[in-house]
Amino acid sequence: MEGKYGGARKKRGWRGLAAAAWLLLAVACSAAMHWHLRRESMDRAEERLISMCEERARMLQEQFGVTVNHVHALAILISTFNYEKQPSAIDQETFAKYTGRTSFERPLLNGVAYAQRVFHHEREMFESQQGWIMNTMKRELAPPQNEYAPVIFSQDTVSYLARIDMMSGEEDRENILRARTTGKAVLTNPFRLLGSNHLGVVLTFAVYRPDLPADASVEQRVEATIGYLGGAFDVESLVENLLSKLAGNQDIVVNVYDVTNASDAMVLYGPPSLDDQVPLLHVSMLDFGDPFRKHEMRCRYREKPPMPWSAITNPLGTFVIWMLLGYIICAAWSRYDKVSEDCRKMEELKTQAEAADVAKSQFLATVSHEIRTPMNGVLGMLDMLLGTDLTMTQKDYAQTAQMCGRALITLINDVLDRAKIEAGKLELEAVPFDLRSLMDDVISLFSSKSREKCIELAVFVCDDVPRVVLGDPWRFRQILTNLVGNAVKFTERGHIFVRVCLAENSNVEANQVIHGTMNGKDGKVESTANGAFNTLSGFEAADRRNNWQYFKLLLSDKESLLDDFDGENSNQNDSDRVTLAISIEDTGVGIPLHAQDRVFTPFMQADSSTSRNYGGTGIGLSISKCLAELMGGQISFTSRPFVGSTFTFSATLKRSFKDASADSSRSLSEALPTAFKGMKAILVDGRPVRSAVTRYHLKRLGIIVQVVKNMSAGLKAFSGQNGATISREKAAMLFIESDFWRPETDVQLLNSLREHKNGLLSDVPKVVVLVTSEADKDKYGSIFDIVMCKPLRASTIASCIQQLLKVEMPERKDNQNRPSFLRSLLVGKNILVVDDNKVNLLVAAAALKKYGAKVHCVESGKDAINLLQPPHCFDACFMDVQMPEMDGFEATRQIRQMEMKANEERKNKLASIEGSTFVECHLPVLAMTADVIQATYEECIKSGMDGYVSKPFDEEQLYQVISRLVVGTTDSAV
């Protein structure tokens, strides 16, 4: 018990010592703060004094300088009108009147006077001309001397200086000599001015002949002197006037000194002595332009600066705070153990939450991959099944199952993408791709649905958009597919219009439409005479800027599509980066106002009936928004219920100077034929936006298009070409929009055109009708040469024209993707397929055997290495990336090491044989992956692979990789 109480007393003793130490520390800190604040207050007072003194010195110099400048200007005036003019244009009356009226420009001068330079031999003639005799300062007759400076002009305020020789005074003579040798204004010693009795100085300024050069020497200045201009400065009035305009004059005392003689400084302004008890004093040097005289300004406080209240209150407050802090520390110390325990529990919970988040992401990725792998097998088997002889019912069942499987994989990919975006692990690729071909591919995905609904589906890319850009084409395609898919899903009539332009052009031209600077238009969607709107289909659009008045500003050639449409040249940005603005406009049901604020929320839809009526999960727009932001852009929309919606997103890409088709394993571009370049065609379409789109696709093929409003105008346009001598100058084709075809009148016009075949015209153009529905093919098939169903695509148009005009197309090896050509590449080739999944092995083997290849399958990377020991008989190897024991990357690295060793051995053996040719052994190895985006091209190349294909195979991928690798290997072997 005694030990317990002894320990408590000891503890209380330590606490008492700690409290006393704390108290002493608080007192010391408060005292230090007090002295610091006092010192800081004095420093601020000194800084304020310096600032005020320097400000007053600067302003005093400026006002003095302004007055000197006016005197200088007066000297130039005298030199010009008194010396150069004969007779002089100035006399005493003129000078007095002028100086009197302009005295406001020299408020610091009591008056000015001009003394002419007169030599001794000129004195008699000068006095005769002036009519008076020169006097000295003492009003006596001026004694003979070398030269004189008699005052001939004077202001009325100093008229007493008239006739006085300024050279008669010793100090004035010294000032005159200094002024003419230096070329600057010089000052005298201070003296009391007449009248005001204020201290002042006399300013003397030499007047030179106008021909004096700027870099004149002393001798030249003395020789060019014609007179002297002087004036009396009232220094006391100058300083007093200055101080009256500034704040703080009651706090400080200002003295101005002439310190030319440092030992005997002369007071020009202020009290004669300073109070030595005031500790703060600041001296500012003054430069009045006279290099021989020195002046300074001395400033001090009238009274010693008082101690600030903060130097008392702040230390007291600090002392109180120290005491409160000590109390808080004492109270907190007792709770330290409990808080430490709480922190430890929080760290454990945080670790568990992070582990759960990682586990969720891993689980989602694993489950998605595990689901996607068998689904790839299912799709592959279905693809193989569709290649067999099936009844119509069986084929319909298989196609339905294939469509559902692809929809499921798309959903899984979307969920996985959303998880990657949330985890910040989604990375974009940077490969060159042809933007226009990609847009055509996306539109073609929805061509069947648009034809079923009889709606216009079109794409337009402005000419100033680069053909090849550097970016992630798969993610770009994903955004477009989501937005266009939604537009097709919710649109039952009208049109869906996809437009791509440069963002800066889109913003500038949209502002022109909004602010009414576009030919007097206000930017609204204007209707035509028949009530239709100037849009793609004639239906009203949600965004009022997307009409013809806006759209025609984007046309780079600015040629009038119709007679009443004009334009100007567009600009093109040459920077390395390019920001694209892509808009998807539809005339569908629109988005209800109450649902527009949650459009981009994952798994959210407008209402419960949306999923029931239209399908979907509501995740596409959320992913599109995230992808647009990853591409350095943003996404927005404008929607009006029962009118339609317009979604616009931007993306920042890079210009690519590399052809997108150069890397055929990853190319998304489509090479267009050049056989139609220079051909002419006539388009009958009265809708300017739609005709611009059609003209855009034909222009990509090199076809020159003339747009007319009706069939009659088209016939006249064709008949006007009778004088052409070259067949290419004649219109070879006539394109007609189906809704501008009038059977009751246009059939006769068309027949009359065809009757010219045996008449004046040697060639009758082929007539093509453009329709939006497959059902229209039977309706117009017997009337026209060919019926072309929308949406339009450059490659589809090229195929139709080639078939129609029997144009011979040059064969291009980079576009041979027909099954027969692929079979010619693969037939008889020995190919090794490596995959740990038996279903995938079966699918891959069947896909390759379909084209005549000899396939050997193994289930591990080690088995592949054993089979590929040089020498071997395989022409190519398809390697799965994810395999147990040894993945595809490691297996490829070991295969390359074996090849390198074998090549070295062969090279050494053949080096001793004359005339032998060494050919390196290189087996094409292609990665197989279920996710093209995950397995990046750089990873494949780094491990030694030559490319990759996605599961399941298709003709496009097989052609791209086989034509590039297998053919190259065969050529090397030869």
Side-chain angles (χ1 to χ4, degrees), residues 91-106:
D91 55 13
Q92 168 58 33
E93 182 181 358
T94 303
F95 183 85
K97 185 181 297 185
Y98 174 79
T99 54
R101 291 181 177 180
T102 59
S103 61
F104 67 90
E105 295 181 340
R106 304 175 300 279

Side-chain angles (χ1 to χ4, degrees), residues 244-302:
S244 65
K245 298 178 180 179
L246 298 175
N249 292 329
Q250 66 277 11
D251 298 332
I252 63 173
V253 177
V254 177
N255 285 70
V256 179
Y257 288 86
D258 184 333
V259 291
T260 304
N261 185 1
S263 60
D264 185 18
M266 301 179 63
V267 180
L268 295 178
Y269 176 81
S273 61
L274 298 177
D275 187 359
D276 296 334
Q277 295 183 356
V278 179
L280 298 179
L281 174 68
H282 180 70
V283 179
S284 297
M285 300 305 298
L286 299 174
D287 183 8
F288 290 146
D290 188 345
F292 298 97
R293 307 201 68 83
K294 297 180 181 179
H295 301 82
E296 65 182 24
M297 177 182 287
R298 300 176 185 177
C299 304
R300 62 176 175 82
Y301 284 106
R302 294 183 184 275

Side-chain angles (χ1 to χ4, degrees), residues 784-845:
F784 302 97
D785 295 307
I786 194 169
V787 180
M788 192 177 298
C789 198
K790 299 181 183 179
L792 297 180
R793 180 174 177 174
S795 59
T796 305
I797 297 175
S799 299
C800 293
I801 296 176
Q802 188 271 337
Q803 177 184 356
L804 190 63
L805 301 180
K806 304 297 188 292
V807 177
E808 294 185 2
M809 305 286 286
E811 294 185 359
R812 297 188 305 274
K813 292 183 179 180
D814 58 346
N815 201 30
Q816 299 276 4
N817 55 5
R818 292 188 294 269
S820 59
F821 184 77
L822 185 58
R823 182 177 181 83
S824 67
L825 293 177
L826 290 175
V827 65
K829 301 295 183 183
N830 294 314
I831 298 178
L832 178 64
V833 179
V834 186
D835 199 320
D836 61 320
N837 189 291
K838 293 183 179 181
V839 177
N840 289 339
L841 279 177
L842 183 60
V843 172

Side-chain angles (χ1 to χ4, degrees), residues 178-193:
R178 284 196 295 121
R180 73 185 186 184
T181 56
T182 61
K184 298 181 179 180
V186 298
L187 304 174
T188 63
N189 287 326
F191 64 93
R192 293 288 176 181
L193 299 176

Side-chain angles (χ1 to χ4, degrees), residues 7 133 160 176 426-427 433 460 476 483 503 570 611 626 765 811 813 883 969:
I133 300 175
Y160 56 86
I176 289 173
L426 184 65
E427 298 181 358
F433 65 95
F460 178 86
F476 194 86
L483 296 178
S570 63
S611 178
C626 296
E811 294 185 359
K813 292 183 179 180
M883 292 185 294
T969 305

